[in-house]
């Protein structure tokens, strides 16, 4: 299965994985900063909605927890960092309060395409195909693309 929404390509060809690709019109250094610096991350993560940062330890083994406020509801997300290779890759666990105890491992890579463009590839690995399907059915693609639009706006403000 493959869909394209707002320039993000989301595929689920592997039974326990969600694969996402998106190109941003900004150099890799700026896209990396938007993912790794909390003062920038809070401006786009969570679809650009108000985000409470309950924990942010950007280091291997560090814990992160965010609570997004949207439409009178709250949505909690958390995990731990497994790998950080500056400007190249971040690997972390990801758990959404809406699917408690169903932890995914997300690997995000940043490729410099030249000409001020960066490709971000995210692979989310789940324990079972049913957990992967539950995340897909949760509306994650809509939220993901809203977050990417907020990231586009942040990157445009920085240029």
């Amino acid at each position: 299965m493959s869909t394209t929404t707002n320039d993000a390509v989301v595929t689920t060809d592997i039974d326990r994985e969600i694969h996402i690709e998106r190109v941003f019109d900004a150099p890799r250094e700026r896209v990396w900063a938007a993912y790794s610096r909390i003062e920038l991350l809070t401006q786009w993560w969570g679809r650009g909605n108000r985000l409470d940062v309950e924990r942010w330890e950007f280091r291997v083994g560090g814990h992160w927890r965010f609570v997004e406020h949207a439409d009178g509801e709250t949505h909690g997300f958390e995990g731990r960092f497994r790998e950080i290779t500056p400007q190249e890759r971040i690997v972390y666990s990801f758990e959404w309060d809406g699917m408690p105890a169903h932890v995914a491992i997300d690997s995000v890579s940043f490729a410099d395409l030249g000409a001020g463009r960066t490709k971000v590839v995210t692979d989310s690995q789940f324990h079972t195909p049913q957990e992967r399907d539950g995340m897909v059915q949760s509306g994650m693609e809509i939220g993901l693309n809203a977050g990417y639009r907020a990231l586009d706006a942040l990157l445009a403000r920085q240029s």
Side-chain angles (χ1 to χ4, degrees), residues 7-12 17-22 106-107 109 119-124 140-141 144-145 148:
D7 297 329
V9 176
V10 178
T11 56
T12 55
E17 185 176 287
I18 299 172
H19 179 84
I20 303 160
E21 295 186 10
R22 176 66 146 72
D106 286 0
S107 172
S109 62
K119 182 180 199 179
V120 175
V121 176
T122 303
D123 289 307
S124 296
M140 60 76 58
E141 190 171 348
L144 169 79
N145 282 300
Y148 282 165

Side-chain angles (χ1 to χ4, degrees), residues 26-151:
R28 182 168 66 171
E29 297 78 21
R30 287 198 2 241
V31 177
W32 171 264
Y35 271 79
S36 61
R37 293 180 40 205
I38 195 63
E39 68 274 13
L40 298 175
L41 189 72
T42 57
Q43 295 180 51
W44 69 271
W45 205 95
R47 305 174 288 177
N49 293 316
R50 189 180 114 222
L51 193 68
D52 291 336
V53 178
E54 294 184 355
R55 192 166 210 148
W56 180 251
E57 300 166 346
F58 191 66
R59 59 176 169 73
V60 173
H63 184 194
W64 63 273
R65 178 161 172 81
F66 305 150
V67 177
E68 175 193 7
H69 300 269
D71 304 322
E73 297 181 359
T74 58
H75 306 277
F77 305 87
E78 70 181 296
R80 292 194 178 270
F81 294 103
R82 295 177 125 195
E83 178 185 332
I84 298 171
T85 304
Q87 296 190 36
E88 291 181 18
R89 182 173 150 103
I90 305 170
V91 179
Y92 55 89
S93 61
F94 178 92
E95 183 175 1
W96 171 45
D97 288 354
M99 287 178 59
H102 295 280
V103 179
I105 302 301
D106 286 0
S107 172
V108 183
S109 62
F110 304 82
D112 183 350
L113 300 179
R117 299 176 70 225
T118 303
K119 182 180 199 179
V120 175
V121 176
T122 303
D123 289 307
S124 296
Q125 184 76 44
F126 295 83
H127 291 282
T128 67
Q130 294 78 20
E131 288 182 9
R132 189 269 328 256
D133 293 347
M135 184 60 74
V136 170
Q137 293 164 5
S138 75
M140 60 76 58
E141 190 171 348
I142 294 167
L144 169 79
N145 282 300
Y148 282 165
R149 285 189 300 276
L151 178 53

